[in-house]
Amino acid sequence: MDDLTVSVAALAVSAGTPPLVSGEIWCTLGGVDFPEAHWTDSPVSVLGSMGEALRSAASGEAGEVYFFEGPYYVRLTPRVAGARGDVEVEVTAVCDRAHQLSGAGGGDVEARCVVPLHALQRHYADIVGELVGWARQHGHAEVAAVLARMAAPAPPPSRGG
């Protein structure tokens, strides 16, 4: 995807139970790194949030991807595009420092792009799949199991009966 990439790097796993994964994770939207290049956070938690946001988008609802270190999130807003009814996602990167400081809400949009939902789902699956391989290679079976569950495709939304 040219308009949106998610990068993960410099991972480390704590010795505790459950093991916690720290490292770098950031998004690049239309050439803008968000929250910034090499942002340090909890990549598995951010990716878990992304999986939930993608499930929401696939069912026609907006979802949010939270960064846990700071007032940053990415909103995924689905919309139907084109004559074939393809689903696109408007991806909006928000710094919500005003809400964090005052509780007043709001936030500043720092970047925005639109991508096909299927491409974003595939990108997410690729990233999580790579991390499963990394965890297995480095002997982190419990982390690999968590990531493998995240990579499993979600069942299609149920239709009212």
Side-chain angles (χ1 to χ4, degrees):
M1 284 186 312
D2 293 334
D3 292 344
L4 173 68
T5 58
V6 177
S7 300
V8 180
L11 300 174
V13 179
S14 72
T17 302
L20 300 175
V21 180
S22 60
E24 298 174 359
I25 184 165
W26 72 97
C27 299
T28 304
L29 291 84
V32 176
D33 293 326
F34 181 81
E36 64 184 37
H38 306 284
W39 180 258
T40 302
D41 212 306
S42 176
V44 174
S45 297
V46 174
L47 290 170
S49 180
M50 179 176 248
E52 290 298 318
L54 284 169
R55 281 187 276 290
S56 293
S59 65
E61 301 290 326
E64 294 174 345
V65 180
Y66 294 98
F67 288 85
F68 294 87
E69 298 295 328
Y72 302 103
Y73 68 93
V74 175
R75 178 174 290 127
L76 305 181
T77 306
R79 62 186 194 191
V80 176
R84 296 184 327 189
D86 295 331
V87 178
E88 294 179 334
V89 177
E90 180 179 25
V91 182
T92 309
V94 178
C95 174
D96 198 10
R97 188 166 281 119
H99 175 71
Q100 184 184 38
L101 297 176
S102 69
D108 297 320
V109 173
E110 295 194 2
R112 176 179 281 133
C113 67
V114 176
V115 297
L117 175 60
H118 68 87
L120 185 52
Q121 290 168 320
R122 186 172 49 248
H123 184 55
Y124 172 80
D126 289 347
I127 292 165
V128 174
E130 288 174 18
L131 291 180
V132 169
W134 172 87
R136 287 180 179 149
Q137 179 183 13
H138 289 87
H140 303 296
E142 189 173 350
V143 172
V146 168
L147 289 163
R149 285 191 300 273
M150 288 170 48
S158 62
R159 305 279 184 218

